[in-house]
Amino acid sequence: MPAASKTPPQGGRRTSDPDPFNVDMIEVPMTPAMTSLHEVSKLRALILMADRYLEDLVLDGSELTLAEGQTATHTMRAQGRSFKWRMQFNRLLKKRGIDPAKLNWRSRTRDLEPEEVPAYMSPEVLAAMRSLIEPLAEVIRKSSRERDGQYPAIHERTKPRIEGDLPEVISL
């Protein structure tokens, strides 16, 4: 068996570190575009992490409404999702150990019995989340509108450089 290398890995990250942005960027030429790319990627990772957490809250709320006796169709409507999403919803419920075959999709089979909402989904907590997310969403919308106006010119400028299509030299 060959001896383990004592040379530390160059660049990259330690595989035991769950943070993909805990990387050695010393060797990377940090131009303004590279810095922006790195920062946008970090922001996206944070938003995706928040999205995964919010999706868990949506499923927690779905369990509560289904336990109350709400129909699965109404539960999905409260989520803002169409009936086409039902297969995904079934899959997520199965992951939580709930048999989707036992759901009432179109009609209630019993009277509603309201469930207690946990503290982590209280109106105060949700209002605090909304107060933080709405300004962020507005900044992103504004940036997106600016991007829509500027990107076509950027693409026309960068595409030939990326693909190596340089203007031909006319020889006489």
Side-chain angles (χ1 to χ4, degrees):
M1 188 184 289
S5 172
K6 295 188 192 281
T7 308
Q10 300 297 312
R13 67 183 176 101
R14 293 185 179 96
T15 55
S16 63
D17 190 345
D19 182 2
F21 294 100
N22 188 13
V23 295
D24 180 5
M25 296 295 285
I26 294 171
E27 296 174 12
V28 177
M30 295 306 284
T31 62
M34 184 63 83
T35 301
S36 292
L37 169 63
H38 192 64
E39 287 302 313
V40 165
S41 298
K42 285 196 248 181
L43 291 172
R44 181 177 176 272
L46 287 170
I47 289 172
L48 289 174
M49 180 184 67
D51 180 60
R52 283 188 294 273
Y53 175 70
L54 291 173
E55 187 64 29
D56 285 342
L57 294 184
V58 166
L59 290 172
D60 292 356
S62 297
E63 280 190 45
L64 292 171
T65 62
L66 294 170
E68 288 179 334
Q70 297 281 1
T71 65
T73 303
H74 289 169
T75 296
M76 286 178 36
R77 187 175 298 159
Q79 295 174 13
R81 294 177 166 143
S82 72
F83 195 67
K84 292 177 184 178
W85 196 75
R86 71 186 177 280
M87 297 303 288
Q88 176 75 0
F89 187 48
N90 286 344
R91 188 180 64 75
L92 294 170
L93 290 174
K94 278 183 186 178
K95 280 186 172 181
R96 288 181 168 220
I98 297 170
D99 183 2
K102 295 182 179 177
L103 296 179
N104 297 316
W105 281 95
R106 300 227 183 251
S107 60
R108 273 190 211 97
T109 57
R110 59 187 168 88
D111 290 338
L112 293 179
E113 300 169 22
E115 286 285 325
E116 184 179 335
V117 176
Y120 64 87
M121 289 178 63
S122 71
E124 297 80 18
V125 170
L126 298 178
M129 287 181 193
R130 179 179 290 280
S131 71
L132 295 170
I133 289 175
E134 284 180 342
L136 172 63
E138 184 54 38
V139 169
I140 291 171
R141 273 192 293 274
K142 182 180 178 200
S143 177
S144 179
R145 284 191 298 268
E146 289 176 13
R147 179 209 175 266
D148 291 346
Q150 296 175 12
Y151 175 73
I154 293 168
H155 178 71
E156 287 301 315
R157 183 183 77 234
T158 59
K159 183 177 182 269
R161 294 177 66 189
I162 293 168
E163 294 177 347
D165 296 337
L166 300 174
E168 291 185 31
V169 177
I170 301 174
S171 58
L172 297 173

